[in-house]
Amino acid sequence: MHIAAILRLNPVLTEELEVDEDGRDIDREWIGLELNPFDDQALEQAVLLKEATGAKVTALAAEAEGGERLLKTALARGVDEVLLIEVGEENVQLSSRARAPLFQEALEGLAPDLVLTGVLSTDDIYGELAPQLGALLDWPQVSAVSNVALGDGVATLQQEYSGGISARIEVQLPAVVGLQAATQPPRYVAGSKLRDLLKVEVPTVEPGADFGADLADATELEVPDTSGGAEMLTGDAEAVAARIHEILVERGLV
Amino acid sequence: MRCLIFVEHSDGTVSESALELGAMAKSIGAEAVGLICAADPGAVNALAGQLGSFDAVIGVADDSLATYNPDAAARALTAATEAHKPDLVMTSYSAAGVDLAPNVAIRTGRQMVGYVSGLELDGDTLNAMSTVYSGKLVARTGMDLPGIVAVMPGAVKADGLSGGAPAVEMMDVDLSGLRMRVTETLVPENTGVNLADAEKIFCVGRALGGTEKIELAENVAAALGAELAGSRPVIDAGWMPKVRQVGKSGTKVKPRLYLMAGVSGAPEHLEGMANSELIIAINSDEQAPIFGTAHYGAVCDMFELMPALTERLTAGK
Ligand SMILES: Cc1cc2nc3c(=O)[nH]c(=O)nc-3n(C[C@H](O)[C@H](O)[C@H](O)COP(=O)(O)OP(=O)(O)OC[C@H]3O[C@@H](n4cnc5c(N)ncnc54)[C@H](O)[C@@H]3O)c2cc1C
């Protein structure tokens, strides 16, 4: 059994985001990048399945910057092999739609039984990755999945809907899964483990496939106007607590 | 102009989001055609009867479509798109919409725009507004038609039943050799926690950091007489049980008071609580998207605020 986990870097969203001068991309000068939280879940699920079944796990990435470090983290988390698809340093803004044919090509080469990636990335304006890969590879695909178990030629998945309702789905392998939550929360990796991997060479591959066409040239980004939003309460925690208490008293809520 | 809308339903009732999509199609002056996938023609007709605001319905009936099946639904939507060539295919941004819109976009060679919160038609170009980076930015994309959009639930108000039931045309789709089957539908068990009916809710987010600090949150909830709730990461990390999750994949709530701390205000969280009567949000980041939705906000460390508020509330009793 061979599992491929596709990992992407995302801007850290707890930091301030600004739009660059021509309004086409976020200002990438100062932002931090982190593993897309849903891809983090996919990585954890892949490693959990490896532990449960002895499957081999290969982690894939296609990043202009930071891909090596990302894949070393995956090695520290327990994947067996990694592969970095070279996209060129200048291609810092690549949508899932743009990268999908590159991942398709790599997956056709690896021929895994199961592909796990995060259900979405918050910049997937032109479509999420897993359902696109399902169509490109002509493999069955299920998104918004929590819990994956492997059986004989099948995977059993739980797909989540609104209201806490979910369905159990049995899908034939090979298949692509857009993961929402792993069976267990992602594990912590010790810094020392990462340091041990500093010297490891991350294998790279030049893609033969072209980027997928998306509408990035037709998109403009803006910071939303929140002026109609909250009335802000100022002061230290004590002052804020006092104001909240007042508001609740005025409204008969306490 | 014509829109083909993938109509979600469960237990014989069409989803609110399908009615919203119908209203959105109308708002750009388009005809709304629904695609209903169900177990048999009778079920398709019964569901079509709930789509009074739609102009027509295409029905696909098969045993495999009794409940949502991603493989079967993708084939049906692809076939209907190829046969009817709508200018725009619309899905909700739901689990099914995430499965279908990008998948059918590739299969039919169309472009798609997701996380859509608004549409405007400008000549032959459709301008789609999307909520990206968890609500921190908005994107405006000009799309030449034909195309596909996946729309956020709640982006527009649903149309009520205006016309009579739309005419239904059944369509044959080859659903042989499906590569998946739904074996079970799981509904959450009743645990006595009922967020949907709670009058006051105190919700904490990922910033809580772990179970060590949960007592601080429990104290606020107790002093306030509120139910304690969490955002999705709080539940995924195992700090609280699933019944306490508010949002898209949790419970939708509408309390008189929704007090929240350390929650960023991602669209999937807002979907579950934006209609609360009074929303007060505490966040350490002044750019947190939640301040666009909350009625009152404070930029403040929740670990200082929680004990201070507990003390106030207890003293004020
Ligand atoms: C299909 C799908 C369904 C989903 N369903 C749901 C759902 O039902 N419910 C849900 O909540 N999410 C859901 N999500 C996840 C959603 O996209 C977000 O990831 C999630 O809501 C983020 O949770 P959060 O705000 O707690 O965490 P974060 O986004 O990480 O935000 C943490 C916030 O805490 C603030 N903060 C940090 N430290 C402090 C401090 N000391 N004091 C005060 N503030 C601080 C930060 O500024 C930040 O704004 C779903 C996602 C998908 C794809």
Side-chain angles (χ1 to χ4, degrees), chain B residues 205-224:
Chain B
R206 195 197 314 257
L208 185 70
T211 43
E212 319 81 66
K213 300 279 177 59
I214 212 156
E215 200 184 335
L216 292 176
E218 284 167 351
N219 291 346
V220 174
L224 197 57

Side-chain angles (χ1 to χ4, degrees), chain B residues 206 231-232 245-249 264 268-269 283-284 302:
Chain B
R206 195 197 314 257
S231 65
R232 168 116 207 180
Q245 182 186 322
V246 171
K248 186 183 199 70
S249 49
S264 61
E268 296 84 5
H269 190 80
N283 198 297
S284 53
M302 64 190 276

Side-chain angles (χ1 to χ4, degrees), chain A residues 6 30 48 52 56 60 104 110 187 202 212 219 236 245-246 252:
Chain A
I6 300 182
W30 300 110
L48 288 171
K56 171 181 151 183
L60 296 169
Q104 174 197 3
L110 289 173
R187 66 197 68 190
V202 168
T219 297
D236 62 6
H245 184 233
E246 265 172 38

Side-chain angles (χ1 to χ4, degrees), chain A residues 49-83:
Chain A
L49 288 170
K50 169 186 167 168
E51 288 165 353
T53 68
K56 171 181 151 183
V57 179
T58 303
L60 296 169
E63 298 291 336
E65 259 175 61
E68 291 211 354
R69 198 188 146 77
L70 170 66
L71 290 175
K72 284 181 184 176
T73 313
L75 285 169
R77 290 267 292 268
V79 313
D80 302 287
E81 283 177 16
V82 293
L83 182 64

Side-chain angles (χ1 to χ4, degrees), chain A residues 245, chain B residues 223 308-317:
Chain A
H245 184 233
Chain B
L309 186 60
T310 304
E311 206 183 295
R312 276 280 163 183
L313 290 166
T314 322
K317 272 188 182 161

Side-chain angles (χ1 to χ4, degrees), chain A residues 13-15 37-38 119-120 122 144 160 180, chain B residues 93-95 98 115 134 136 203-208 230-234 236 242 245-251 261-270 272 282-286 288-290 300-303:
Chain A
L13 292 179
T14 44
E15 288 173 13
F38 296 110
V119 55
L120 60 85
T122 57
E160 293 195 16
Q180 166 112 15
Chain B
Y93 168 56
S94 57
V98 173
Y115 311 137
S134 268
K136 287 203 130 181
C203 179
V204 290
R206 195 197 314 257
L208 185 70
S231 65
R232 168 116 207 180
V234 170
D236 284 347
K242 180 85 182 169
Q245 182 186 322
V246 171
K248 186 183 199 70
S249 49
T251 307
V263 181
S264 61
E268 296 84 5
H269 190 80
L270 299 183
I282 311 299
N283 198 297
S284 53
D285 171 12
E286 61 177 324
I290 190 59
C300 186
D301 182 345
M302 64 190 276
F303 300 109

